[in-house]
PDB file of all heavy atoms in Angstrom:
ATOM      1  N   ALA D  53      73.418 -56.521 204.007  1.00  0.00           N
ATOM      2  CA  ALA D  53      72.424 -56.849 205.024  1.00  0.00           C
ATOM      3  C   ALA D  53      71.326 -57.750 204.483  1.00  0.00           C
ATOM      4  O   ALA D  53      70.801 -58.599 205.200  1.00  0.00           O
ATOM      5  CB  ALA D  53      71.824 -55.567 205.594  1.00  0.00           C
ATOM      6  N   GLY D  54      70.994 -57.574 203.210  1.00  0.00           N
ATOM      7  CA  GLY D  54      69.891 -58.335 202.626  1.00  0.00           C
ATOM      8  C   GLY D  54      70.076 -59.830 202.734  1.00  0.00           C
ATOM      9  O   GLY D  54      69.105 -60.595 202.811  1.00  0.00           O
ATOM     10  N   ALA D  55      71.341 -60.270 202.773  1.00  0.00           N
ATOM     11  CA  ALA D  55      71.600 -61.706 202.826  1.00  0.00           C
ATOM     12  C   ALA D  55      71.439 -62.255 204.231  1.00  0.00           C
ATOM     13  O   ALA D  55      71.386 -63.463 204.424  1.00  0.00           O
ATOM     14  CB  ALA D  55      73.009 -61.993 202.310  1.00  0.00           C
ATOM     15  N   VAL D  56      71.366 -61.374 205.208  1.00  0.00           N
ATOM     16  CA  VAL D  56      71.379 -61.823 206.598  1.00  0.00           C
ATOM     17  C   VAL D  56      70.032 -61.594 207.278  1.00  0.00           C
ATOM     18  O   VAL D  56      69.604 -62.381 208.125  1.00  0.00           O
ATOM     19  CB  VAL D  56      72.486 -61.092 207.383  1.00  0.00           C
ATOM     20  CG1 VAL D  56      72.532 -61.550 208.819  1.00  0.00           C
ATOM     21  CG2 VAL D  56      73.825 -61.333 206.717  1.00  0.00           C
ATOM     22  N   LEU D  57      69.336 -60.535 206.871  1.00  0.00           N
ATOM     23  CA  LEU D  57      68.111 -60.172 207.577  1.00  0.00           C
ATOM     24  C   LEU D  57      67.064 -61.293 207.612  1.00  0.00           C
ATOM     25  O   LEU D  57      66.445 -61.499 208.648  1.00  0.00           O
ATOM     26  CB  LEU D  57      67.533 -58.884 206.986  1.00  0.00           C
ATOM     27  CG  LEU D  57      68.414 -57.658 207.244  1.00  0.00           C
ATOM     28  CD1 LEU D  57      67.887 -56.431 206.526  1.00  0.00           C
ATOM     29  CD2 LEU D  57      68.497 -57.369 208.745  1.00  0.00           C
ATOM     30  N   PRO D  58      66.862 -62.063 206.515  1.00  0.00           N
ATOM     31  CA  PRO D  58      65.857 -63.131 206.597  1.00  0.00           C
ATOM     32  C   PRO D  58      66.151 -64.151 207.693  1.00  0.00           C
ATOM     33  O   PRO D  58      65.251 -64.548 208.440  1.00  0.00           O
ATOM     34  CB  PRO D  58      65.919 -63.780 205.214  1.00  0.00           C
ATOM     35  CG  PRO D  58      66.474 -62.743 204.319  1.00  0.00           C
ATOM     36  CD  PRO D  58      67.414 -61.945 205.162  1.00  0.00           C
ATOM     37  N   SER D  59      67.416 -64.558 207.828  1.00  0.00           N
ATOM     38  CA  SER D  59      67.710 -65.553 208.853  1.00  0.00           C
ATOM     39  C   SER D  59      67.613 -64.931 210.243  1.00  0.00           C
ATOM     40  O   SER D  59      67.253 -65.596 211.210  1.00  0.00           O
ATOM     41  CB  SER D  59      69.086 -66.182 208.621  1.00  0.00           C
ATOM     42  OG  SER D  59      70.098 -65.218 208.700  1.00  0.00           O
ATOM     43  N   ARG D  60      67.938 -63.638 210.320  1.00  0.00           N
ATOM     44  CA  ARG D  60      67.747 -62.951 211.592  1.00  0.00           C
ATOM     45  C   ARG D  60      66.264 -62.974 211.972  1.00  0.00           C
ATOM     46  O   ARG D  60      65.891 -63.257 213.104  1.00  0.00           O
ATOM     47  CB  ARG D  60      68.240 -61.500 211.462  1.00  0.00           C
ATOM     48  CG  ARG D  60      68.394 -60.709 212.724  1.00  0.00           C
ATOM     49  CD  ARG D  60      67.165 -59.887 213.133  1.00  0.00           C
ATOM     50  NE  ARG D  60      66.473 -59.207 212.063  1.00  0.00           N
ATOM     51  CZ  ARG D  60      66.499 -57.892 211.859  1.00  0.00           C
ATOM     52  NH1 ARG D  60      67.229 -57.131 212.634  1.00  0.00           N
ATOM     53  NH2 ARG D  60      65.788 -57.351 210.901  1.00  0.00           N
ATOM     54  N   ASP D  61      65.427 -62.698 210.971  1.00  0.00           N
ATOM     55  CA  ASP D  61      63.987 -62.688 211.226  1.00  0.00           C
ATOM     56  C   ASP D  61      63.501 -64.061 211.678  1.00  0.00           C
ATOM     57  O   ASP D  61      62.664 -64.172 212.577  1.00  0.00           O
ATOM     58  CB  ASP D  61      63.242 -62.251 209.963  1.00  0.00           C
ATOM     59  CG  ASP D  61      63.478 -60.774 209.668  1.00  0.00           C
ATOM     60  OD1 ASP D  61      63.905 -60.058 210.589  1.00  0.00           O
ATOM     61  OD2 ASP D  61      63.251 -60.354 208.513  1.00  0.00           O
ATOM     62  N   ALA D  62      64.056 -65.106 211.039  1.00  0.00           N
ATOM     63  CA  ALA D  62      63.637 -66.454 211.405  1.00  0.00           C
ATOM     64  C   ALA D  62      64.042 -66.754 212.838  1.00  0.00           C
ATOM     65  O   ALA D  62      63.253 -67.323 213.607  1.00  0.00           O
ATOM     66  CB  ALA D  62      64.267 -67.466 210.453  1.00  0.00           C
ATOM     67  N   ALA D  63      65.252 -66.364 213.209  1.00  0.00           N
ATOM     68  CA  ALA D  63      65.713 -66.609 214.575  1.00  0.00           C
ATOM     69  C   ALA D  63      64.852 -65.837 215.564  1.00  0.00           C
ATOM     70  O   ALA D  63      64.467 -66.352 216.620  1.00  0.00           O
ATOM     71  CB  ALA D  63      67.180 -66.212 214.713  1.00  0.00           C
ATOM     72  N   LYS D  64      64.513 -64.603 215.205  1.00  0.00           N
ATOM     73  CA  LYS D  64      63.656 -63.804 216.076  1.00  0.00           C
ATOM     74  C   LYS D  64      62.294 -64.474 216.272  1.00  0.00           C
ATOM     75  O   LYS D  64      61.740 -64.505 217.375  1.00  0.00           O
ATOM     76  CB  LYS D  64      63.449 -62.415 215.466  1.00  0.00           C
ATOM     77  CG  LYS D  64      64.386 -61.362 216.012  1.00  0.00           C
ATOM     78  CD  LYS D  64      64.334 -60.106 215.196  1.00  0.00           C
ATOM     79  CE  LYS D  64      63.298 -59.111 215.669  1.00  0.00           C
ATOM     80  NZ  LYS D  64      63.424 -57.847 214.903  1.00  0.00           N
ATOM     81  N   LEU D  65      61.815 -65.016 215.139  1.00  0.00           N
ATOM     82  CA  LEU D  65      60.515 -65.688 215.196  1.00  0.00           C
ATOM     83  C   LEU D  65      60.590 -66.885 216.138  1.00  0.00           C
ATOM     84  O   LEU D  65      59.683 -67.106 216.958  1.00  0.00           O
ATOM     85  CB  LEU D  65      60.117 -66.127 213.787  1.00  0.00           C
ATOM     86  CG  LEU D  65      58.763 -66.800 213.634  1.00  0.00           C
ATOM     87  CD1 LEU D  65      57.649 -65.841 214.040  1.00  0.00           C
ATOM     88  CD2 LEU D  65      58.555 -67.251 212.191  1.00  0.00           C
ATOM     89  N   ALA D  66      61.684 -67.643 216.037  1.00  0.00           N
ATOM     90  CA  ALA D  66      61.846 -68.810 216.903  1.00  0.00           C
ATOM     91  C   ALA D  66      61.842 -68.390 218.367  1.00  0.00           C
ATOM     92  O   ALA D  66      61.193 -69.016 219.211  1.00  0.00           O
ATOM     93  CB  ALA D  66      63.144 -69.540 216.543  1.00  0.00           C
ATOM     94  N   PHE D  67      62.550 -67.305 218.664  1.00  0.00           N
ATOM     95  CA  PHE D  67      62.598 -66.832 220.042  1.00  0.00           C
ATOM     96  C   PHE D  67      61.226 -66.370 220.515  1.00  0.00           C
ATOM     97  O   PHE D  67      60.837 -66.588 221.652  1.00  0.00           O
ATOM     98  CB  PHE D  67      63.628 -65.703 220.177  1.00  0.00           C
ATOM     99  CG  PHE D  67      64.999 -66.202 220.511  1.00  0.00           C
ATOM    100  CD1 PHE D  67      65.763 -66.833 219.549  1.00  0.00           C
ATOM    101  CD2 PHE D  67      65.509 -66.071 221.793  1.00  0.00           C
ATOM    102  CE1 PHE D  67      67.022 -67.311 219.856  1.00  0.00           C
ATOM    103  CE2 PHE D  67      66.772 -66.547 222.105  1.00  0.00           C
ATOM    104  CZ  PHE D  67      67.528 -67.168 221.139  1.00  0.00           C
ATOM    105  N   LYS D  68      60.519 -65.720 219.601  1.00  0.00           N
ATOM    106  CA  LYS D  68      59.200 -65.219 219.979  1.00  0.00           C
ATOM    107  C   LYS D  68      58.265 -66.371 220.312  1.00  0.00           C
ATOM    108  O   LYS D  68      57.556 -66.343 221.314  1.00  0.00           O
ATOM    109  CB  LYS D  68      58.649 -64.397 218.814  1.00  0.00           C
ATOM    110  CG  LYS D  68      57.430 -63.590 219.158  1.00  0.00           C
ATOM    111  CD  LYS D  68      56.996 -62.731 217.993  1.00  0.00           C
ATOM    112  CE  LYS D  68      55.613 -62.163 218.274  1.00  0.00           C
ATOM    113  NZ  LYS D  68      55.047 -61.551 217.077  1.00  0.00           N
ATOM    114  N   LYS D  69      58.285 -67.380 219.466  1.00  0.00           N
ATOM    115  CA  LYS D  69      57.404 -68.523 219.693  1.00  0.00           C
ATOM    116  C   LYS D  69      57.788 -69.255 220.973  1.00  0.00           C
ATOM    117  O   LYS D  69      56.930 -69.724 221.722  1.00  0.00           O
ATOM    118  CB  LYS D  69      57.477 -69.475 218.494  1.00  0.00           C
ATOM    119  CG  LYS D  69      56.831 -68.881 217.265  1.00  0.00           C
ATOM    120  CD  LYS D  69      56.331 -69.980 216.346  1.00  0.00           C
ATOM    121  CE  LYS D  69      55.512 -69.429 215.189  1.00  0.00           C
ATOM    122  NZ  LYS D  69      54.179 -68.992 215.597  1.00  0.00           N
ATOM    123  N   PHE D  70      59.103 -69.361 221.195  1.00  0.00           N
ATOM    124  CA  PHE D  70      59.582 -70.042 222.393  1.00  0.00           C
ATOM    125  C   PHE D  70      59.129 -69.302 223.646  1.00  0.00           C
ATOM    126  O   PHE D  70      58.672 -69.904 224.619  1.00  0.00           O
ATOM    127  CB  PHE D  70      61.116 -70.123 222.351  1.00  0.00           C
ATOM    128  CG  PHE D  70      61.718 -70.839 223.519  1.00  0.00           C
ATOM    129  CD1 PHE D  70      61.751 -72.234 223.541  1.00  0.00           C
ATOM    130  CD2 PHE D  70      62.250 -70.147 224.594  1.00  0.00           C
ATOM    131  CE1 PHE D  70      62.313 -72.897 224.622  1.00  0.00           C
ATOM    132  CE2 PHE D  70      62.802 -70.811 225.677  1.00  0.00           C
ATOM    133  CZ  PHE D  70      62.843 -72.196 225.687  1.00  0.00           C
ATOM    134  N   ALA D  71      59.237 -67.981 223.591  1.00  0.00           N
ATOM    135  CA  ALA D  71      58.848 -67.187 224.753  1.00  0.00           C
ATOM    136  C   ALA D  71      57.361 -67.357 225.035  1.00  0.00           C
ATOM    137  O   ALA D  71      56.930 -67.423 226.188  1.00  0.00           O
ATOM    138  CB  ALA D  71      59.194 -65.720 224.525  1.00  0.00           C
TER     139      ALA D  71
END
Side-chain angles (χ1 to χ4, degrees):
Chain D
V56 181
L57 293 174
S59 62
R60 192 268 319 252
D61 290 342
K64 264 168 90 174
L65 182 62
F67 270 74
K68 192 176 168 191
K69 290 207 172 286
F70 182 81

